[in-house]
Amino acid sequence: MRHFKIILGLFLMLYATNAEACRYTIREIGFSTLSRVTYVIYRVDDGSALFPKQQALSFSNSNIKTYGLNINEDKISPIVAFVKSQNLAFPAYVLKDKNGRMLAMTETDYKNNLKSSILSSPVQTKLLKNLPRNYASVILIEGYNAADNKMAKETVLKSCERITNIMPNMPKQVDVGPDMIAISQSQFQEEKVLLWSLGVDVMPAEPAAFILYGKGRMMGEKITFQKIIEDSVYKLLAIIGADCECGLDRKWMLGYQIPLDWPKDTRQGLSDRLGFDVDNPMVLTEMSRILAIENRVPVAPDGVSYEPVVINLDDEFDDIPEIKHNETNKETEASEENYGMVIWYSLIAFVILIGVGVVFIVKQKK
């Protein structure tokens, strides 16, 4: 009997370790700062490579880094080449994403308020208010046909309602269900930065949707009109509320981000709602260990398999345009690999303990 109690104690210890391996949902991990900065705003001038300090500080809470270039010292830079090709006046400002796509900011943009032009459009402002408290937001970009727009809106709203109805059965409760934000053809200019970040350079002929969650992260990629009416919005929304052990590849938990400000009061309000600070080093460490465990068979919360074919999983972690002053942390990568090995060894030990326990129980009965 004494041996059996020892085995039982070890079993409970292993069970507790595994149970605590993941206590976050996909949405909660989506608020973290584990992935690198997604955007860089460059200031290109012919006399200085300095980025005005006050201007740079205004981006400190966002996912945009600032960098200055001098056309005389950085002649081979693709940013400088882009500025020259566009015949931009100096100083010129260029926003660059992880894929090397560039957007030139107009003189009106940066003379009025560079930060507001990039981070404070009406939709971005609404997202900053909604995302910390709601489940997710579906951005619906309207097309040319009114009937198609109406059908897309109705389908998206039904998907949001279905998610709201099943939210009580999800691992974690959220204050508000998913919502829909529509962008009309007439809003293109004021939402140009947001739309550009979504890969939309011109307004589409047919409605299209994007799902954003956490800190402005995208779940999947663009959902075409055909996919909207085929229920893809609901399938992608369902993934966001799942426990992080649902089988998703880790790169789906840190989707591509839109440009978004994240001031201190937003972070504090989110912390109060979640009950923990997603930027706390201990929380980030735990999340990074969770993300070190790679799973390749995505499964929706209802158990229905959903193969993520809409994004390139191999490229999803490469979040920032490569610039020389960035360095990677090799020790972090090594610790993540080591944690994965620990999990496997724990599972093996678990199986062995079960076997030993069975043997002891049989002997006790004899």
Side-chain angles (χ1 to χ4, degrees):
M1 190 65 183
R2 184 174 63 87
H3 295 294
F4 175 75
K5 288 181 179 179
I6 293 174
I7 297 297
L8 179 60
L10 291 172
F11 169 81
L12 291 174
M13 287 174 64
L14 279 171
Y15 175 80
T17 301
N18 287 327
E20 287 296 315
C22 179
R23 59 188 183 93
Y24 306 106
T25 62
I26 306 300
R27 174 180 177 268
E28 290 173 335
I29 288 182
F31 286 114
S32 74
T33 54
L34 288 172
S35 61
R36 291 174 293 172
V37 172
T38 308
Y39 303 91
V40 180
I41 179 70
Y42 291 92
R43 181 183 187 273
V44 184
D45 204 354
D46 58 354
S48 171
L50 294 177
F51 203 107
K53 184 177 180 180
Q54 198 64 31
Q55 211 172 44
L57 284 173
S58 67
F59 290 95
S60 61
N61 292 318
S62 72
N63 57 344
I64 297 177
K65 289 295 184 184
T66 58
Y67 199 68
L69 293 172
N70 186 328
I71 61 169
N72 300 314
E73 299 174 358
D74 302 286
K75 296 179 180 179
I76 63 173
S77 168
I79 309 295
V80 172
F82 176 77
V83 168
K84 291 181 177 178
S85 70
Q86 299 291 311
N87 295 317
L88 301 177
F90 297 112
Y93 290 86
V94 178
L95 187 62
K96 185 179 179 182
D97 73 359
K98 69 157 193 155
N99 298 316
R101 295 173 63 246
M102 292 177 243
L103 178 67
M105 305 306 296
T106 66
E107 185 176 3
T108 303
D109 291 331
Y110 62 77
K111 283 197 172 180
N112 289 343
N113 190 320
L114 183 64
K115 177 191 173 183
S116 294
S117 299
I118 296 175
L119 295 170
S120 301
S121 74
V123 173
Q124 285 170 309
T125 301
K126 187 176 292 187
L127 288 169
L128 179 60
K129 177 183 177 182
N130 291 355
L131 288 177
R133 64 187 182 87
N134 74 353
Y135 181 92
S137 288
V138 182
I139 305 298
L140 179 67
I141 305 172
E142 296 181 359
Y144 298 140
N145 187 287
D148 288 349
N149 291 337
K150 181 180 179 182
M151 183 182 296
K153 286 180 179 179
E154 290 175 350
T155 306
V156 169
L157 289 173
K158 285 180 181 178
S159 296
C160 292
E161 185 179 357
R162 289 172 65 188
I163 292 296
T164 301
N165 290 337
I166 66 172
M167 277 170 51
N169 299 321
M170 290 185 177
K172 296 286 186 69
Q173 297 304 302
V174 183
D175 293 344
V176 184
D179 68 336
M180 182 188 73
I181 302 174
I183 299 179
S184 66
Q185 297 278 329
S186 62
Q187 292 176 278
F188 178 77
Q189 189 58 35
E190 66 181 349
E191 298 297 341
K192 68 175 183 178
V193 172
L194 171 65
L195 293 170
W196 168 81
S197 72
L198 296 173
V200 179
D201 296 314
V202 294
M203 292 298 278
E206 293 185 324
F210 295 84
I211 296 176
L212 300 178
Y213 71 102
K215 196 179 287 187
R217 298 190 184 280
M218 192 188 307
M219 175 55 71
E221 282 192 343
K222 181 175 76 171
I223 308 171
T224 63
F225 178 52
Q226 185 62 34
K227 292 292 185 181
I228 290 174
I229 61 179
E230 289 176 357
D231 221 20
S232 288
V233 172
Y234 172 74
K235 291 177 181 177
L236 286 170
L237 281 173
I239 293 174
I240 295 171
D243 186 272
C244 61
E245 291 179 332
C246 68
L248 274 177
D249 187 283
R250 66 178 181 174
K251 296 163 189 176
W252 268 60
M253 299 185 198
L254 289 176
Y256 186 70
Q257 286 180 291
I258 63 166
L260 195 65
D261 201 16
W262 206 256
K264 186 176 180 180
D265 58 340
T266 300
R267 175 182 167 182
Q268 182 61 58
L270 175 66
S271 177
D272 293 340
R273 290 185 181 92
L274 297 180
F276 60 89
D277 182 6
V278 292
D279 293 322
N280 182 285
M282 294 183 67
V283 173
L284 287 175
T285 299
E286 185 178 4
M287 287 184 173
S288 69
R289 288 175 176 172
I290 292 166
L291 297 178
I293 307 170
E294 293 191 344
N295 296 299
R296 295 294 178 181
V297 184
V299 178
D302 57 4
V304 178
S305 214
Y306 182 69
E307 185 66 25
V309 295
V310 293
I311 60 174
N312 187 335
L313 297 180
D314 293 329
D315 295 336
E316 195 62 22
F317 258 164
D318 187 16
D319 288 339
I320 186 172
E322 290 297 326
I323 49 180
K324 294 180 180 178
H325 55 281
N326 281 347
E327 297 179 358
T328 56
N329 190 333
K330 303 296 183 182
E331 294 181 1
T332 300
E333 295 176 2
S335 66
E336 290 183 354
E337 292 178 2
N338 291 337
Y339 184 76
M341 294 179 65
V342 169
I343 292 295
W344 281 111
Y345 288 139
S346 297
L347 290 174
I348 293 171
F350 173 79
V351 173
I352 293 173
L353 282 172
I354 290 293
V356 173
V358 170
V359 171
F360 273 109
I361 290 172
V362 171
K363 287 185 176 181
Q364 288 289 337
K365 288 184 177 180
K366 290 182 177 180

